[in-house]
Amino acid sequence: PRIFCCSGTGCHATGSIPLIAALREEAARQGGCVQVIETGCNGFCALGPVVIMQPGGILYCKVRVEDAADAVASAGAEPVERLLYRDPAGKAVASMDEIPFFALQRPWTLRNKGRIDPENIGHAIAHDGYQGLAKALFDIAPEGIIEEMRLSGLRGRGGAGFPTGLKWKFAAASPGDVKYVLCNADEGDPGAFMDRSILESDPHAVLEGMIIAAVAIGAHQGYIYCRSEYPLAIQRLTLAIGQARELGLLGESILGSDFSFDLEIYQGAGAFVCGEETALMRSIEGRRGMPRPRPPFPAQQGLWGRPTVLNNVETLANVGRIIRLGGGHYAGIGTEGSTGTKVFALSGDVNNIGLVEVDMGTPLSVLVNDIGGGVPGKRACKAVQLGGPSGGSIPAHLLDTPVDYEAIAKAGAIMGSGGVIVMNDRTCMVDMARFFMDFIQDESCGKCTPCREGTRRQLEILTRICEGRGAPGDLRTLEDLAAVITDASLCGLGQTASNPILSALRHFRDEFEAHIMDKR
Ligand code: SF4
């Protein structure tokens, strides 16, 4: 029997480190036939520390050190009733497959969550890790890799949704012997923890994606740009890179082929703007992380002026499996324009806070009510914020909107990287808009005037309105400023900075007007 104990950052915070030690101690004391395996994030962060008992796929929630003896004794035997998940009616549910939080998901990118030790490359390989790389190196030429990616329809999961195959095709076609592959792990949206969890639970999936991208475009060096606030992710990545080198999956002559590729981790200091691709590249170059105008695009002139492919963590974690199973397989999931699955970080006023993955096209209501378990305290959902500070709020009456790039944009938000913040009926939407503008204004790099000064003026106005000092012309001024900032800002941060205000005005204008009319 095996006990898989979640050792992601979320469960670390609720006590999984001493729990794992206690489980191991108990396993040794009770005869040593029970294996305790430390995994990455299992997804059900609200109920941590979580433990999965195999065989049986039995979920134990909120397990404490004092429960270790009973948990180990129950491995391969009768489950411990008090540790089981309870449904909303209070009934104990043993099998994960019967819990809607798990049953309604499709773990495609998160295929190894809760079932491998991320610090053991053998576990990744036993679950088909690096098979896509072997196929990419020996069975299909670089053009074949790009064609499979095109067929898959995979779009960049960092937010922009640009087709991955097309991005690789541009970089492959750019002349030059020196090219780079970069991984953007600078996840900075409030409420987003998808990339961190993927890196913590399955770092080899990301490495495999990077190596395949390198084969496709002819790059021999890569960098993972990871924010330094993610120490566990960096620790596991570092281990994974070392293990991959030892097994000949990185470095000279990969798997005995004539292809070489190696990579390094670059730690960012937490500036939100460094998630923007040109700022990220400048930061790796050792310069101040500020965006530059495009064109030239990174696929032609990126890091140190060389052709560069930059993909985010989730995008890259999909690649190995797409190549192994074929692009057509992936394209069979999701919708026509938004294929595959999407990972979301579910947070805010929702019962089942955690990491979830669903098919593209799944209605938001399934995400919030069925997987998320609805709003706590029997309150109603007022809106869902998607896409972080670059996104917008979707009101409750539009929760049948499917999660696909176009449908979400039509509803006034953006898919973004996958942060989903649920808000209950007590949430003040003016204050919500002010919160995001406060974040953006603080993170603006200050290079261009519309973003630097415009967001400051918007924040002042929103603060005034929140404090009951709003003036009748304020909403018009907010909209006029939004038009200029969107049109005249240099990078995506400024160009999307007004989205939370505009979507709140679109769906909740009456709340802004009530604040202004109801001065106290
Ligand atoms: Fe900097 Fe904002 Fe201009 Fe982007 S839009 S370059 S973040 S000032």
Side-chain angles (χ1 to χ4, degrees):
R2 286 160 298 158
I3 298 178
F4 294 83
C5 186
C6 179
S7 185
T9 293
C11 279
H12 276 188
T14 50
S16 68
I17 295 175
L19 174 64
I20 289 163
L23 287 168
R24 290 200 167 128
E25 209 174 290
E26 269 304 323
R29 202 181 62 78
Q30 291 184 28
C33 66
V34 175
Q35 203 184 350
V36 178
I37 297 164
E38 204 171 328
T39 72
C41 179
N42 152 293
F44 216 160
C45 308
L47 296 181
V50 290
V51 160
I52 301 169
M53 310 293 291
Q54 297 288 9
I58 293 157
L59 182 79
Y60 286 165
C61 309
K62 296 189 176 178
V63 186
R64 296 159 304 160
V65 167
E66 307 86 88
D67 300 316
D70 289 346
V72 171
S74 73
E78 271 300 296
V80 183
E81 169 101 7
R82 74 170 190 282
L83 298 178
L84 294 176
Y85 169 80
R86 302 262 157 193
D87 70 12
K91 186 172 156 259
V93 184
S95 168
M96 282 172 66
D97 298 341
E98 292 169 29
I99 301 171
F101 180 84
F102 295 105
L104 296 172
Q105 295 189 48
R106 186 200 292 263
W108 215 92
T109 315
L110 304 174
R111 55 197 173 273
N112 288 331
K113 71 169 183 178
R115 62 177 199 155
I116 66 163
D117 176 354
E119 299 188 3
N120 186 334
I121 193 171
H123 284 211
I125 290 171
H127 288 87
D128 304 324
Y130 295 102
Q131 284 195 14
L133 172 63
K135 184 174 169 185
L137 277 171
F138 303 114
D139 293 350
I140 52 177
E143 303 80 50
I145 301 172
I146 290 170
E147 178 57 12
E148 290 297 338
M149 293 308 293
R150 188 194 65 77
L151 274 175
S152 75
L154 177 69
R155 296 168 66 172
R157 298 298 194 239
F162 191 81
T164 306
L166 197 57
K167 189 184 263 193
W168 292 12
K169 188 176 176 184
F170 290 149
S174 291
D177 295 336
V178 179
K179 298 182 183 181
Y180 297 104
V181 171
L182 308 183
C183 170
N184 187 346
D186 195 51
E187 185 174 55
D189 288 7
F193 49 92
M194 302 77 54
D195 294 350
R196 190 200 72 211
S197 295
I198 293 170
L199 291 171
E200 287 176 1
S201 60
D202 198 4
H204 289 287
V206 181
L207 299 191
E208 183 181 10
M210 289 186 76
I211 306 167
I212 292 172
V215 177
I217 72 162
H220 302 290
Q221 179 64 42
Y223 294 91
I224 301 173
Y225 190 91
C226 187
R227 56 196 299 117
S228 58
E229 293 95 327
Y230 284 180
L232 186 60
I234 291 169
Q235 179 193 319
R236 289 187 176 159
L237 267 175
T238 306
L239 261 172
I241 291 170
Q243 291 171 352
R245 278 198 195 115
E246 266 176 38
L247 288 192
L249 294 159
L250 274 176
E252 298 292 317
S253 184
I254 291 176
L255 289 175
S257 70
D258 57 4
F259 183 76
S260 306
F261 177 74
D262 213 336
L263 51 83
E264 287 173 34
I265 300 169
Y266 191 100
Q267 293 189 42
F272 182 63
V273 75
C274 284
E276 196 278 341
E277 59 182 5
T278 60
L280 183 150
M281 289 173 206
R282 279 181 176 232
S283 179
I284 293 178
E285 289 168 0
R287 298 191 282 161
R288 184 172 172 183
M290 274 183 154
R292 64 152 173 84
R294 295 171 304 173
F297 291 97
Q300 286 110 32
Q301 283 180 43
L303 188 65
W304 287 298
R306 309 291 189 157
T308 301
V309 151
L310 171 76
N311 288 123
N312 101 316
V313 169
E314 185 182 337
T315 310
L316 290 163
N318 275 301
V319 169
R321 198 172 186 200
I322 287 176
I323 296 300
R324 181 169 70 83
L325 298 176
H329 180 95
Y330 189 78
I333 306 168
T335 65
E336 198 180 337
S338 301
T339 58
T341 60
K342 177 77 193 88
V343 180
F344 291 99
L346 204 52
S347 66
D349 297 319
V350 64
N351 280 306
N352 301 336
I353 288 172
L355 195 71
V356 304
E357 181 173 7
V358 293
D359 289 6
M360 289 283 196
T362 303
L364 273 171
S365 56
V366 171
L367 211 58
V368 174
N369 296 324
D370 302 331
I371 295 175
V375 177
K378 299 202 173 111
R379 300 214 65 90
C381 172
K382 180 171 186 175
V384 171
Q385 168 78 20
L386 275 180
S390 309
S393 305
I394 296 184
H397 72 270
L398 293 180
L399 281 191
D400 57 352
T401 304
V403 285
D404 88 21
Y405 288 94
E406 280 69 35
I408 295 282
K410 206 169 148 208
I414 61 166
M415 182 82 83
S417 57
V420 177
I421 303 172
V422 182
M423 293 171 273
N424 72 21
D425 54 0
R426 283 182 169 167
T427 308
C428 169
M429 300 310 290
V430 187
D431 196 44
M432 196 67 186
R434 191 198 57 78
F435 167 80
F436 280 113
M437 190 45 65
D438 188 28
F439 177 85
I440 282 291
Q441 189 270 327
D442 200 37
E443 295 291 342
S444 166
C445 80
K447 182 169 181 171
C448 52
T449 312
C451 172
R452 184 186 65 237
E453 298 302 324
T455 56
R456 197 168 292 173
R457 297 292 89 76
Q458 285 180 321
L459 177 61
E460 285 167 4
I461 294 170
L462 286 168
T463 305
R464 250 194 356 246
I465 297 175
C466 283
E467 291 173 354
R469 297 182 290 112
D474 278 349
L475 301 190
R476 181 69 194 272
T477 311
L478 279 175
E479 285 166 333
D480 289 349
L481 280 167
V484 175
I485 298 167
T486 305
D487 273 359
S489 290
L490 174 61
C491 83
L493 189 150
Q495 288 156 8
T496 59
S498 304
N499 284 356
I501 298 179
L502 293 175
S503 85
L505 279 171
R506 173 174 164 185
H507 296 298
F508 302 96
R509 195 176 190 94
D510 54 334
E511 278 193 35
F512 286 78
E513 288 168 349
H515 275 68
I516 293 169
M517 300 299 289
D518 184 26
K519 288 186 194 175
R520 280 176 288 271

